[in-house]
Amino acid sequence: TLEASFPISLTHTSLVNYVADNCNNTIVVVNTVGPRLFSQWDDHENITAILYGGPLGQSSGHAINEVLFGDVNPSGKLIHTLAKNESDYDSNFQISEASEIDFTEGNFIDYKYFDQQNKSVGYEFGFGLSYTTFEYASTVTVTSDTKKLSETYASGALAVGGREDLWDIVATVSTTVTNTGRVAGAEVAQLYVEFPAAADEPARQLRGFQKVMVNPRQTEKVQFKLRRRDLSVWDVVAQEWAVVKGEYKMHVGASSRDLRAVSTMNV
């Protein structure tokens, strides 16, 4: 119990540190609509857990309570990167009051920007813990339709969203996830595709995710189906989506920087 002299005009950082300084088992529940910096308190010896709750809704209190008391095993993953320092974010991430803003980052947004700059982060895109642990198979299986990928450009009829054959399934990536803990839990397996160097794309891009419930000491299969669009880049000269010839690497893991296995596919 904190003393009556508790300061009432603290910033969120000072507040967390003040409570942690006085409580040796502090759990921080974060409710926010976007990224926040945790680096000024997340390594405090008295902070035993952080629950990222996102924006509040009418059932948030019940949900937070169920997670904190173990009635529900959390399985959420971060939808954005939490940097270590505000300066780690690109200038285009900053709040601006300008009437006209020139966005120059192109496709290098969030985790793709941090990978491009090879910057360390606080908590990466796709990160999330559970009350159990998961082990991924060391091998990834990739099957592809070489005939559908043989042509550089999609050639189907024009439709809403692009040519119709952009949505054809051209490859399937699969692996397994094993629950190595003592309680049942769900894991969100993620697929990141590394394009050939000639494509001039970000280091890796999320191209699929699957949440799978796994009982203790059991193994479940995860599978990702890739459309032609998932493996295409925009050709500004031809004004068409193009498949670049070369080696594609399929990374599967628990987050954008916790990649457990990889396999290759040649086009």
Side-chain angles (χ1 to χ4, degrees), residues 27-76:
I27 297 174
V28 183
V29 179
V30 180
N31 292 116
T32 176
V33 297
R36 298 289 297 186
L37 298 180
F38 296 173
S39 56
Q40 293 178 300
W41 50 263
D42 64 352
D43 60 350
H44 195 293
E45 62 180 0
N46 288 339
I47 293 179
T48 56
I50 303 171
L51 175 58
Y52 193 91
L56 290 169
Q58 66 178 21
S59 296
S60 294
H62 296 293
I64 291 170
N65 182 72
E66 289 177 346
V67 169
L68 290 178
F69 287 91
D71 296 323
V72 171
N73 191 355
S75 58

Side-chain angles (χ1 to χ4, degrees), residues 148 151 153-159 162-170 227-229 232 240:
K148 289 183 177 179
E151 298 296 328
Y153 300 107
S155 57
L158 286 172
R163 297 190 180 276
E164 290 182 343
D165 53 337
L166 281 172
W167 318 115
D168 289 348
I169 301 299
V170 296
R227 301 162 297 184
R228 181 185 177 94
R229 171 66 178 82
S232 300
E240 294 282 0

Side-chain angles (χ1 to χ4, degrees), residues 27-238:
I27 297 174
V28 183
V29 179
V30 180
N31 292 116
T32 176
V33 297
R36 298 289 297 186
L37 298 180
F38 296 173
S39 56
Q40 293 178 300
W41 50 263
D42 64 352
D43 60 350
H44 195 293
E45 62 180 0
N46 288 339
I47 293 179
T48 56
I50 303 171
L51 175 58
Y52 193 91
L56 290 169
Q58 66 178 21
S59 296
S60 294
H62 296 293
I64 291 170
N65 182 72
E66 289 177 346
V67 169
L68 290 178
F69 287 91
D71 296 323
V72 171
N73 191 355
S75 58
K77 301 282 186 171
L78 283 176
I79 60 172
H80 38 234
T81 300
L82 302 182
K84 288 186 174 181
N85 306 290
E86 185 176 351
S87 59
D88 290 335
Y89 289 103
D90 178 70
S91 58
N92 286 323
F93 287 93
Q94 309 298 325
I95 295 175
S96 175
E97 297 180 357
S99 59
E100 184 175 320
I101 303 173
D102 183 12
F103 292 98
T104 59
E105 71 272 21
N107 195 16
F108 295 95
I109 301 171
D110 198 77
Y111 69 94
K112 292 174 281 189
Y113 165 76
F114 286 95
D115 287 345
Q116 178 200 37
Q117 299 295 316
N118 195 29
K119 289 186 176 182
S120 60
V121 300
Y123 301 91
E124 71 273 17
F125 174 87
F127 174 82
L129 297 179
S130 166
Y131 288 138
T132 189
T133 52
F134 299 98
E135 182 178 285
Y136 286 69
S138 59
T139 58
V140 173
T141 301
V142 180
T143 58
S144 60
D145 189 328
T146 55
K147 183 178 180 180
K148 289 183 177 179
L149 289 170
S150 60
E151 298 296 328
T152 299
Y153 300 107
S155 57
L158 286 172
V160 176
R163 297 190 180 276
E164 290 182 343
D165 53 337
L166 281 172
W167 318 115
D168 289 348
I169 301 299
V170 296
T172 301
V173 180
S174 58
T175 189
T176 59
V177 176
T178 300
N179 184 338
T180 56
R182 298 181 178 180
V183 296
E187 169 68 341
V188 183
Q190 301 159 46
L191 169 67
Y192 294 85
V193 175
E194 181 180 343
F195 283 67
D200 193 27
E201 288 288 287
R204 287 169 298 276
Q205 299 185 74
L206 181 70
R207 283 295 183 265
F209 57 91
Q210 182 182 359
K211 177 180 281 192
V212 57
M213 176 62 72
V214 193
N215 288 319
R217 306 300 175 183
Q218 297 296 309
T219 299
E220 297 291 341
K221 182 178 181 179
V222 292
Q223 190 175 77
F224 311 94
K225 293 185 178 297
L226 292 169
R227 301 162 297 184
R228 181 185 177 94
R229 171 66 178 82
D230 294 322
L231 301 176
S232 300
V233 297
W234 182 248
D235 187 325
V236 295
V237 176

